[in-house]
PDB file of all heavy atoms in Angstrom:
ATOM      1  N   GLY C   1       0.818  -1.205   0.001  1.00 80.00           N
ATOM      2  CA  GLY C   1       0.003  -0.001   0.000  1.00 80.00           C
ATOM      3  C   GLY C   1       0.844   1.254   0.000  1.00 80.00           C
ATOM      4  O   GLY C   1       1.974   1.269  -0.492  1.00 80.00           O
ATOM      5  N   LYS C   2       0.303   2.318   0.540  1.00 74.00           N
ATOM      6  CA  LYS C   2       0.969   3.614   0.496  1.00 74.00           C
ATOM      7  C   LYS C   2       1.485   4.011   1.867  1.00 74.00           C
ATOM      8  O   LYS C   2       0.854   3.777   2.890  1.00 74.00           O
ATOM      9  CB  LYS C   2       0.011   4.688  -0.014  1.00 74.00           C
ATOM     10  CG  LYS C   2      -0.383   4.516  -1.480  1.00 74.00           C
ATOM     11  CD  LYS C   2      -1.242   5.672  -1.950  1.00 74.00           C
ATOM     12  CE  LYS C   2      -1.575   5.511  -3.440  1.00 74.00           C
ATOM     13  NZ  LYS C   2      -2.385   6.654  -3.939  1.00 74.00           N
ATOM     14  N   LEU C   3       2.682   4.603   1.840  1.00 71.00           N
ATOM     15  CA  LEU C   3       3.281   5.201   3.018  1.00 71.00           C
ATOM     16  C   LEU C   3       3.683   6.610   2.632  1.00 71.00           C
ATOM     17  O   LEU C   3       4.429   6.800   1.670  1.00 71.00           O
ATOM     18  CB  LEU C   3       4.486   4.383   3.493  1.00 71.00           C
ATOM     19  CG  LEU C   3       5.199   4.898   4.741  1.00 71.00           C
ATOM     20  CD1 LEU C   3       4.257   4.866   5.940  1.00 71.00           C
ATOM     21  CD2 LEU C   3       6.443   4.060   5.018  1.00 71.00           C
ATOM     22  N   LEU C   4       3.167   7.610   3.349  1.00 68.00           N
ATOM     23  CA  LEU C   4       3.384   9.017   2.978  1.00 68.00           C
ATOM     24  C   LEU C   4       2.947   9.261   1.539  1.00 68.00           C
ATOM     25  O   LEU C   4       3.603   9.961   0.757  1.00 68.00           O
ATOM     26  CB  LEU C   4       4.857   9.412   3.160  1.00 68.00           C
ATOM     27  CG  LEU C   4       5.420   9.251   4.576  1.00 68.00           C
ATOM     28  CD1 LEU C   4       6.906   9.578   4.589  1.00 68.00           C
ATOM     29  CD2 LEU C   4       4.665  10.140   5.550  1.00 68.00           C
ATOM     30  N   SER C   5       1.822   8.627   1.144  1.00 68.00           N
ATOM     31  CA  SER C   5       1.215   8.745  -0.198  1.00 68.00           C
ATOM     32  C   SER C   5       2.046   8.099  -1.289  1.00 68.00           C
ATOM     33  O   SER C   5       1.797   8.338  -2.477  1.00 68.00           O
ATOM     34  CB  SER C   5       0.961  10.228  -0.552  1.00 68.00           C
ATOM     35  OG  SER C   5       0.099  10.819   0.399  1.00 68.00           O
ATOM     36  N   LEU C   6       3.034   7.274  -0.928  1.00 73.00           N
ATOM     37  CA  LEU C   6       3.881   6.621  -1.917  1.00 73.00           C
ATOM     38  C   LEU C   6       3.564   5.131  -1.956  1.00 73.00           C
ATOM     39  O   LEU C   6       3.660   4.440  -0.937  1.00 73.00           O
ATOM     40  CB  LEU C   6       5.361   6.815  -1.568  1.00 73.00           C
ATOM     41  CG  LEU C   6       5.859   8.249  -1.455  1.00 73.00           C
ATOM     42  CD1 LEU C   6       7.310   8.261  -0.966  1.00 73.00           C
ATOM     43  CD2 LEU C   6       5.747   8.960  -2.790  1.00 73.00           C
ATOM     44  N   PRO C   7       3.154   4.568  -3.152  1.00 80.00           N
ATOM     45  CA  PRO C   7       2.956   3.120  -3.263  1.00 80.00           C
ATOM     46  C   PRO C   7       4.287   2.399  -3.028  1.00 80.00           C
ATOM     47  O   PRO C   7       5.324   2.797  -3.564  1.00 80.00           O
ATOM     48  CB  PRO C   7       2.466   2.931  -4.702  1.00 80.00           C
ATOM     49  CG  PRO C   7       1.992   4.277  -5.135  1.00 80.00           C
ATOM     50  CD  PRO C   7       2.835   5.271  -4.389  1.00 80.00           C
ATOM     51  N   MET C   8       4.245   1.338  -2.233  1.00 85.00           N
ATOM     52  CA  MET C   8       5.481   0.661  -1.860  1.00 85.00           C
ATOM     53  C   MET C   8       5.361  -0.842  -2.022  1.00 85.00           C
ATOM     54  O   MET C   8       4.274  -1.415  -1.902  1.00 85.00           O
ATOM     55  CB  MET C   8       5.855   0.984  -0.417  1.00 85.00           C
ATOM     56  CG  MET C   8       6.206   2.439  -0.194  1.00 85.00           C
ATOM     57  SD  MET C   8       7.087   2.708   1.354  1.00 85.00           S
ATOM     58  CE  MET C   8       7.529   4.449   1.178  1.00 85.00           C
ATOM     59  N   GLN C   9       6.514  -1.463  -2.318  1.00 90.00           N
ATOM     60  CA  GLN C   9       6.634  -2.905  -2.380  1.00 90.00           C
ATOM     61  C   GLN C   9       7.775  -3.326  -1.438  1.00 90.00           C
ATOM     62  O   GLN C   9       8.871  -2.773  -1.526  1.00 90.00           O
ATOM     63  CB  GLN C   9       6.938  -3.399  -3.797  1.00 90.00           C
ATOM     64  CG  GLN C   9       5.883  -3.039  -4.840  1.00 90.00           C
ATOM     65  CD  GLN C   9       6.031  -1.628  -5.359  1.00 90.00           C
ATOM     66  OE1 GLN C   9       7.138  -1.172  -5.633  1.00 90.00           O
ATOM     67  NE2 GLN C   9       4.908  -0.933  -5.498  1.00 90.00           N
ATOM     68  N   ALA C  10       7.486  -4.283  -0.566  1.00 93.00           N
ATOM     69  CA  ALA C  10       8.487  -4.785   0.361  1.00 93.00           C
ATOM     70  C   ALA C  10       8.826  -6.219  -0.010  1.00 93.00           C
ATOM     71  O   ALA C  10       7.986  -6.954  -0.548  1.00 93.00           O
ATOM     72  CB  ALA C  10       7.982  -4.712   1.793  1.00 93.00           C
ATOM     73  N   GLY C  11      10.059  -6.624   0.273  1.00 95.00           N
ATOM     74  CA  GLY C  11      10.489  -7.967  -0.090  1.00 95.00           C
ATOM     75  C   GLY C  11      11.382  -8.593   0.963  1.00 95.00           C
ATOM     76  O   GLY C  11      12.027  -7.897   1.755  1.00 95.00           O
ATOM     77  N   LEU C  12      11.407  -9.921   0.951  1.00 97.00           N
ATOM     78  CA  LEU C  12      12.299 -10.709   1.787  1.00 97.00           C
ATOM     79  C   LEU C  12      13.092 -11.602   0.850  1.00 97.00           C
ATOM     80  O   LEU C  12      12.508 -12.329   0.036  1.00 97.00           O
ATOM     81  CB  LEU C  12      11.502 -11.550   2.780  1.00 97.00           C
ATOM     82  CG  LEU C  12      12.277 -12.581   3.605  1.00 97.00           C
ATOM     83  CD1 LEU C  12      13.257 -11.887   4.536  1.00 97.00           C
ATOM     84  CD2 LEU C  12      11.295 -13.468   4.395  1.00 97.00           C
ATOM     85  N   PHE C  13      14.434 -11.560   0.911  1.00 97.00           N
ATOM     86  CA  PHE C  13      15.245 -12.296  -0.052  1.00 97.00           C
ATOM     87  C   PHE C  13      16.342 -13.106   0.622  1.00 97.00           C
ATOM     88  O   PHE C  13      16.781 -12.811   1.743  1.00 97.00           O
ATOM     89  CB  PHE C  13      15.865 -11.346  -1.091  1.00 97.00           C
ATOM     90  CG  PHE C  13      16.825 -10.335  -0.527  1.00 97.00           C
ATOM     91  CD1 PHE C  13      18.162 -10.648  -0.298  1.00 97.00           C
ATOM     92  CD2 PHE C  13      16.390  -9.051  -0.223  1.00 97.00           C
ATOM     93  CE1 PHE C  13      19.044  -9.712   0.220  1.00 97.00           C
ATOM     94  CE2 PHE C  13      17.268  -8.103   0.283  1.00 97.00           C
ATOM     95  CZ  PHE C  13      18.596  -8.444   0.517  1.00 97.00           C
ATOM     96  N   VAL C  14      16.772 -14.134  -0.118  1.00 98.00           N
ATOM     97  CA  VAL C  14      17.922 -14.946   0.241  1.00 98.00           C
ATOM     98  C   VAL C  14      18.775 -15.101  -1.014  1.00 98.00           C
ATOM     99  O   VAL C  14      18.238 -15.344  -2.107  1.00 98.00           O
ATOM    100  CB  VAL C  14      17.519 -16.338   0.770  1.00 98.00           C
ATOM    101  CG1 VAL C  14      18.750 -17.188   1.053  1.00 98.00           C
ATOM    102  CG2 VAL C  14      16.665 -16.212   2.026  1.00 98.00           C
ATOM    103  N   GLU C  15      20.098 -14.920  -0.896  1.00 98.00           N
ATOM    104  CA  GLU C  15      20.999 -15.070  -2.029  1.00 98.00           C
ATOM    105  C   GLU C  15      22.162 -15.970  -1.638  1.00 98.00           C
ATOM    106  O   GLU C  15      22.560 -16.012  -0.468  1.00 98.00           O
ATOM    107  CB  GLU C  15      21.513 -13.707  -2.497  1.00 98.00           C
ATOM    108  CG  GLU C  15      20.395 -12.763  -2.899  1.00 98.00           C
ATOM    109  CD  GLU C  15      20.868 -11.548  -3.681  1.00 98.00           C
ATOM    110  OE1 GLU C  15      22.096 -11.293  -3.711  1.00 98.00           O
ATOM    111  OE2 GLU C  15      20.010 -10.858  -4.257  1.00 98.00           O
ATOM    112  N   ALA C  16      22.701 -16.692  -2.623  1.00 98.00           N
ATOM    113  CA  ALA C  16      23.846 -17.563  -2.360  1.00 98.00           C
ATOM    114  C   ALA C  16      24.698 -17.658  -3.635  1.00 98.00           C
ATOM    115  O   ALA C  16      24.173 -17.522  -4.753  1.00 98.00           O
ATOM    116  CB  ALA C  16      23.385 -18.953  -1.937  1.00 98.00           C
ATOM    117  N   GLY C  17      25.985 -17.865  -3.477  1.00 98.00           N
ATOM    118  CA  GLY C  17      26.861 -18.007  -4.634  1.00 98.00           C
ATOM    119  C   GLY C  17      28.313 -17.882  -4.260  1.00 98.00           C
ATOM    120  O   GLY C  17      28.695 -17.926  -3.082  1.00 98.00           O
ATOM    121  N   SER C  18      29.138 -17.671  -5.288  1.00 98.00           N
ATOM    122  CA  SER C  18      30.575 -17.540  -5.063  1.00 98.00           C
ATOM    123  C   SER C  18      31.240 -17.043  -6.343  1.00 98.00           C
ATOM    124  O   SER C  18      30.643 -17.040  -7.426  1.00 98.00           O
ATOM    125  CB  SER C  18      31.175 -18.896  -4.667  1.00 98.00           C
ATOM    126  OG  SER C  18      32.524 -18.762  -4.258  1.00 98.00           O
ATOM    127  N   ALA C  19      32.501 -16.617  -6.193  1.00 98.00           N
ATOM    128  CA  ALA C  19      33.394 -16.336  -7.318  1.00 98.00           C
ATOM    129  C   ALA C  19      34.671 -17.123  -7.048  1.00 98.00           C
ATOM    130  O   ALA C  19      35.189 -17.101  -5.936  1.00 98.00           O
ATOM    131  CB  ALA C  19      33.688 -14.846  -7.433  1.00 98.00           C
ATOM    132  N   TRP C  20      35.160 -17.828  -8.054  1.00 98.00           N
ATOM    133  CA  TRP C  20      36.288 -18.738  -7.800  1.00 98.00           C
ATOM    134  C   TRP C  20      37.098 -18.938  -9.083  1.00 98.00           C
ATOM    135  O   TRP C  20      36.669 -18.590 -10.177  1.00 98.00           O
ATOM    136  CB  TRP C  20      35.776 -20.091  -7.294  1.00 98.00           C
ATOM    137  CG  TRP C  20      35.083 -20.917  -8.337  1.00 98.00           C
ATOM    138  CD1 TRP C  20      35.634 -21.944  -9.063  1.00 98.00           C
ATOM    139  CD2 TRP C  20      33.730 -20.793  -8.811  1.00 98.00           C
ATOM    140  NE1 TRP C  20      34.719 -22.461  -9.953  1.00 98.00           N
ATOM    141  CE2 TRP C  20      33.534 -21.774  -9.815  1.00 98.00           C
ATOM    142  CE3 TRP C  20      32.663 -19.938  -8.489  1.00 98.00           C
ATOM    143  CZ2 TRP C  20      32.328 -21.929 -10.482  1.00 98.00           C
ATOM    144  CZ3 TRP C  20      31.458 -20.101  -9.163  1.00 98.00           C
ATOM    145  CH2 TRP C  20      31.299 -21.069 -10.129  1.00 98.00           C
ATOM    146  N   GLY C  21      38.286 -19.525  -8.917  1.00 98.00           N
ATOM    147  CA  GLY C  21      39.109 -19.924 -10.043  1.00 98.00           C
ATOM    148  C   GLY C  21      40.090 -18.874 -10.517  1.00 98.00           C
ATOM    149  O   GLY C  21      39.702 -17.756 -10.855  1.00 98.00           O
ATOM    150  N   LEU C  22      41.390 -19.225 -10.509  1.00 98.00           N
ATOM    151  CA  LEU C  22      42.454 -18.406 -11.073  1.00 98.00           C
ATOM    152  C   LEU C  22      43.364 -19.302 -11.895  1.00 98.00           C
ATOM    153  O   LEU C  22      43.511 -20.497 -11.594  1.00 98.00           O
ATOM    154  CB  LEU C  22      43.283 -17.720  -9.975  1.00 98.00           C
ATOM    155  CG  LEU C  22      42.604 -16.671  -9.110  1.00 98.00           C
ATOM    156  CD1 LEU C  22      43.521 -16.277  -7.961  1.00 98.00           C
ATOM    157  CD2 LEU C  22      42.231 -15.437  -9.939  1.00 98.00           C
ATOM    158  N   ASP C  23      43.990 -18.759 -12.922  1.00 97.00           N
ATOM    159  CA  ASP C  23      44.964 -19.524 -13.691  1.00 97.00           C
ATOM    160  C   ASP C  23      46.295 -19.613 -12.969  1.00 97.00           C
ATOM    161  O   ASP C  23      47.051 -20.571 -13.137  1.00 97.00           O
ATOM    162  CB  ASP C  23      45.164 -18.886 -15.069  1.00 97.00           C
ATOM    163  CG  ASP C  23      43.878 -18.896 -15.887  1.00 97.00           C
ATOM    164  OD1 ASP C  23      43.232 -19.946 -15.956  1.00 97.00           O
ATOM    165  OD2 ASP C  23      43.525 -17.829 -16.424  1.00 97.00           O
ATOM    166  N   ASP C  24      46.595 -18.611 -12.154  1.00 97.00           N
ATOM    167  CA  ASP C  24      47.866 -18.539 -11.435  1.00 97.00           C
ATOM    168  C   ASP C  24      47.565 -18.264  -9.971  1.00 97.00           C
ATOM    169  O   ASP C  24      47.050 -17.202  -9.611  1.00 97.00           O
ATOM    170  CB  ASP C  24      48.733 -17.419 -12.032  1.00 97.00           C
ATOM    171  CG  ASP C  24      50.110 -17.340 -11.401  1.00 97.00           C
ATOM    172  OD1 ASP C  24      50.374 -18.077 -10.422  1.00 97.00           O
ATOM    173  OD2 ASP C  24      50.930 -16.518 -11.865  1.00 97.00           O
ATOM    174  N   THR C  25      47.879 -19.219  -9.101  1.00 97.00           N
ATOM    175  CA  THR C  25      47.651 -19.048  -7.667  1.00 97.00           C
ATOM    176  C   THR C  25      48.953 -18.770  -6.918  1.00 97.00           C
ATOM    177  O   THR C  25      49.016 -18.932  -5.709  1.00 97.00           O
ATOM    178  CB  THR C  25      46.984 -20.297  -7.074  1.00 97.00           C
ATOM    179  OG1 THR C  25      47.858 -21.427  -7.251  1.00 97.00           O
ATOM    180  CG2 THR C  25      45.640 -20.575  -7.731  1.00 97.00           C
ATOM    181  N   LEU C  26      49.980 -18.341  -7.649  1.00 96.00           N
ATOM    182  CA  LEU C  26      51.301 -18.071  -7.049  1.00 96.00           C
ATOM    183  C   LEU C  26      51.782 -19.299  -6.276  1.00 96.00           C
ATOM    184  O   LEU C  26      52.097 -19.237  -5.082  1.00 96.00           O
ATOM    185  CB  LEU C  26      51.241 -16.841  -6.142  1.00 96.00           C
ATOM    186  CG  LEU C  26      50.795 -15.535  -6.803  1.00 96.00           C
ATOM    187  CD1 LEU C  26      50.811 -14.396  -5.791  1.00 96.00           C
ATOM    188  CD2 LEU C  26      51.665 -15.196  -7.998  1.00 96.00           C
ATOM    189  N   ASN C  27      51.792 -20.423  -7.020  1.00 95.00           N
ATOM    190  CA  ASN C  27      52.260 -21.697  -6.448  1.00 95.00           C
ATOM    191  C   ASN C  27      51.465 -22.131  -5.224  1.00 95.00           C
ATOM    192  O   ASN C  27      52.019 -22.649  -4.237  1.00 95.00           O
ATOM    193  CB  ASN C  27      53.747 -21.613  -6.101  1.00 95.00           C
ATOM    194  CG  ASN C  27      54.611 -21.400  -7.322  1.00 95.00           C
ATOM    195  OD1 ASN C  27      54.376 -22.013  -8.369  1.00 95.00           O
ATOM    196  ND2 ASN C  27      55.596 -20.520  -7.206  1.00 95.00           N
ATOM    197  N   GLY C  28      50.156 -21.906  -5.285  1.00 95.00           N
ATOM    198  CA  GLY C  28      49.283 -22.353  -4.210  1.00 95.00           C
ATOM    199  C   GLY C  28      49.135 -21.377  -3.068  1.00 95.00           C
ATOM    200  O   GLY C  28      48.413 -21.672  -2.096  1.00 95.00           O
ATOM    201  N   ALA C  29      49.744 -20.216  -3.159  1.00 96.00           N
ATOM    202  CA  ALA C  29      49.656 -19.242  -2.061  1.00 96.00           C
ATOM    203  C   ALA C  29      48.274 -18.591  -1.984  1.00 96.00           C
ATOM    204  O   ALA C  29      47.888 -18.070  -0.937  1.00 96.00           O
ATOM    205  CB  ALA C  29      50.726 -18.172  -2.236  1.00 96.00           C
ATOM    206  N   ILE C  30      47.504 -18.603  -3.101  1.00 97.00           N
ATOM    207  CA  ILE C  30      46.181 -17.979  -3.139  1.00 97.00           C
ATOM    208  C   ILE C  30      45.122 -19.077  -3.163  1.00 97.00           C
ATOM    209  O   ILE C  30      45.201 -20.023  -3.959  1.00 97.00           O
ATOM    210  CB  ILE C  30      46.035 -17.077  -4.384  1.00 97.00           C
ATOM    211  CG1 ILE C  30      47.104 -15.980  -4.380  1.00 97.00           C
ATOM    212  CG2 ILE C  30      44.648 -16.461  -4.424  1.00 97.00           C
ATOM    213  CD1 ILE C  30      47.140 -15.183  -5.665  1.00 97.00           C
ATOM    214  N   ASP C  31      44.158 -18.973  -2.303  1.00 97.00           N
ATOM    215  CA  ASP C  31      43.031 -19.907  -2.266  1.00 97.00           C
ATOM    216  C   ASP C  31      41.998 -19.456  -3.295  1.00 97.00           C
ATOM    217  O   ASP C  31      41.349 -18.418  -3.119  1.00 97.00           O
ATOM    218  CB  ASP C  31      42.428 -19.927  -0.867  1.00 97.00           C
ATOM    219  CG  ASP C  31      41.245 -20.887  -0.744  1.00 97.00           C
ATOM    220  OD1 ASP C  31      40.946 -21.595  -1.736  1.00 97.00           O
ATOM    221  OD2 ASP C  31      40.628 -20.918   0.341  1.00 97.00           O
TER     222      ASP C  31
END
């Protein structure tokens, strides 16, 4: 509905993921 005359949408979210992988880990020094 409206709050201070402004129509509003509320949400509940969950996110999951990762970033990974290198060509060079400096001989295993980088995870």
